[in-house]
Amino acid sequence: MAVTIKSAKEIELMREAGRRLEMVHDEMGSMIKPGISTMEINEYGDRLIRKLGCEPNFLNYGGFPASICVSVNEEVVHGIPRRDHILKEGDIVSLDAGLIYKGYHSDAARTHTVGKVSEEVQRLLDATKQSFFEGIKKAKPGNHLYDISNAVADYIEGFGYGIVEELVGHGIGTSLHEDPQVPNFRQKKKGMKLLPGMTLAVEPMINLGTWEVVWLKDQWTVVTKDHKPSAHYENTILITDGEPEILTLHI
Ligand code: MG
């Protein structure tokens, strides 16, 4: 699939898709506490998306059975919500959500703490989030796609964390996954030139230990090979003439 450049009208729709997803994330984030199940988070998120006049884009995507990916501790991404998976004090939980507004997709992920977590785990979460911001500092015209990847890698390598390589960010628009792929690990090539009107989901997945991951037998859940925790942080961004615009986060 070719890389798409969005028109002004399309950008307006993507902004709206992004704003609505941010609301969903804010609401889901405020319900996180020990004792709730990962299924409750999914059901709440699904209801919010529909209440905002949107459709969940993850539900049935390639057969995924839920609207929100809920990944706990060593689960990296694509965790399947379960009624018998109850969050407990000290867990971390990554919520990856996406929606479709008038045919346009948004995609974002946040990792939350459940009660109090260890300093080591809090540092992982903070670094993962910051690596997104380090990456998008390079997301402007005149730069190349892999400047983003290398900026994430530069930042994370300083901590000695593992960067997931088997899953990457992506273009996004009228489809959830469009070209180009946006890796978070070091690249030798430069990649394509960044142009205004490109919309990308930038999503570092960072492991406390090894970068290696494995798939569980459910064929969806990706976990760290060493079972150490993993964090995920993602926003949909727009390349502009100047600084990138974050469509799924308004500070
Ligand atoms: Mg994504």
Side-chain angles (χ1 to χ4, degrees), residues 42 57-71 77-81 96 218-222:
N42 170 65
N57 49 11
F58 293 178
L59 183 62
N60 300 322
Y61 186 92
F64 189 76
S67 297
I68 314 294
C69 298
V70 187
S71 309
V77 285
H78 305 165
I80 299 175
D96 194 351
D218 64 22
Q219 298 192 329
W220 279 107
T221 314
V222 181

Side-chain angles (χ1 to χ4, degrees), residues 6-20 101-102 104-106 197 199 238 245 247 250:
K6 276 72 179 180
S7 68
K9 191 173 167 227
E10 289 182 299
I11 288 168
E12 224 13 85
L13 293 169
M14 294 219 43
R15 280 195 180 110
E16 209 42 60
R19 265 186 217 111
R20 283 159 203 244
Y101 172 75
K102 296 190 177 173
Y104 286 81
H105 292 247
S106 54
T199 42
L238 166 71
E245 185 178 328
L247 303 182
H250 300 80

Side-chain angles (χ1 to χ4, degrees), residues 26-100:
D26 288 349
E27 293 279 324
M28 287 195 301
S30 65
M31 80 181 291
I32 302 296
K33 57 171 192 251
I36 67 161
S37 73
T38 57
M39 181 59 89
E40 282 173 84
I41 302 168
N42 170 65
E43 288 171 344
Y44 187 53
D46 180 274
R47 269 204 308 280
L48 290 165
I49 289 170
R50 295 177 196 280
K51 210 168 84 181
L52 291 166
C54 305
E55 289 288 320
N57 49 11
F58 293 178
L59 183 62
N60 300 322
Y61 186 92
F64 189 76
S67 297
I68 314 294
C69 298
V70 187
S71 309
V72 181
N73 297 336
E74 76 275 14
E75 296 174 352
V76 179
V77 285
H78 305 165
I80 299 175
R82 292 201 327 254
R83 210 160 293 287
D84 63 355
H85 195 159
I86 309 293
L87 297 182
K88 58 182 195 309
E89 178 94 18
D91 283 344
I92 56 170
V93 58
S94 303
L95 306 182
D96 194 351
L99 58 77
I100 312 169

Side-chain angles (χ1 to χ4, degrees), residues 107 170 201 203 234:
D107 186 2
H170 49 92
E203 51 176 322
E234 172 184 30

Side-chain angles (χ1 to χ4, degrees), residues 9-209:
K9 191 173 167 227
E10 289 182 299
I11 288 168
E12 224 13 85
L13 293 169
M14 294 219 43
R15 280 195 180 110
E16 209 42 60
R19 265 186 217 111
R20 283 159 203 244
L21 183 56
E22 181 179 9
M23 287 188 241
V24 172
H25 264 300
D26 288 349
E27 293 279 324
M28 287 195 301
S30 65
M31 80 181 291
I32 302 296
K33 57 171 192 251
I36 67 161
S37 73
T38 57
M39 181 59 89
E40 282 173 84
I41 302 168
N42 170 65
E43 288 171 344
Y44 187 53
D46 180 274
R47 269 204 308 280
L48 290 165
I49 289 170
R50 295 177 196 280
K51 210 168 84 181
L52 291 166
C54 305
E55 289 288 320
N57 49 11
F58 293 178
L59 183 62
N60 300 322
Y61 186 92
F64 189 76
S67 297
I68 314 294
C69 298
V70 187
S71 309
V72 181
N73 297 336
E74 76 275 14
E75 296 174 352
V76 179
V77 285
H78 305 165
I80 299 175
R82 292 201 327 254
R83 210 160 293 287
D84 63 355
H85 195 159
I86 309 293
L87 297 182
K88 58 182 195 309
E89 178 94 18
D91 283 344
I92 56 170
V93 58
S94 303
L95 306 182
D96 194 351
L99 58 77
I100 312 169
Y101 172 75
K102 296 190 177 173
Y104 286 81
H105 292 247
S106 54
D107 186 2
R110 309 276 184 260
T111 300
H112 299 280
T113 55
V114 183
K116 198 165 166 40
V117 301
S118 70
E119 270 175 46
E120 184 184 45
V121 167
Q122 186 64 56
R123 259 199 307 275
L124 171 70
L125 265 55
D126 294 344
T128 302
K129 182 174 179 178
Q130 187 58 33
S131 73
F132 163 85
F133 289 99
E134 296 297 326
I136 68 160
K137 283 179 187 169
K138 303 288 182 184
K140 38 184 150 184
N143 286 347
H144 291 77
L145 182 65
Y146 297 156
D147 291 331
I148 301 174
S149 313
N150 289 333
V152 172
D154 281 342
Y155 183 74
I156 289 299
E157 282 170 9
F159 293 87
Y161 296 144
I163 303 176
V164 175
E165 299 190 2
E166 283 169 271
L167 299 125
V168 296
H170 49 92
I172 179 167
T174 52
S175 302
L176 173 58
H177 294 116
E178 297 185 351
D179 278 340
Q181 294 201 338
V182 188
N184 301 298
F185 56 100
R186 190 162 302 287
Q187 302 294 309
K188 292 204 178 81
K189 294 181 178 168
K190 290 165 95 173
M192 66 191 313
K193 271 192 173 159
L194 294 171
L195 298 170
M198 286 180 180
T199 42
L200 305 172
V202 178
E203 51 176 322
M205 290 155 242
I206 309 297
N207 301 343
L208 188 62

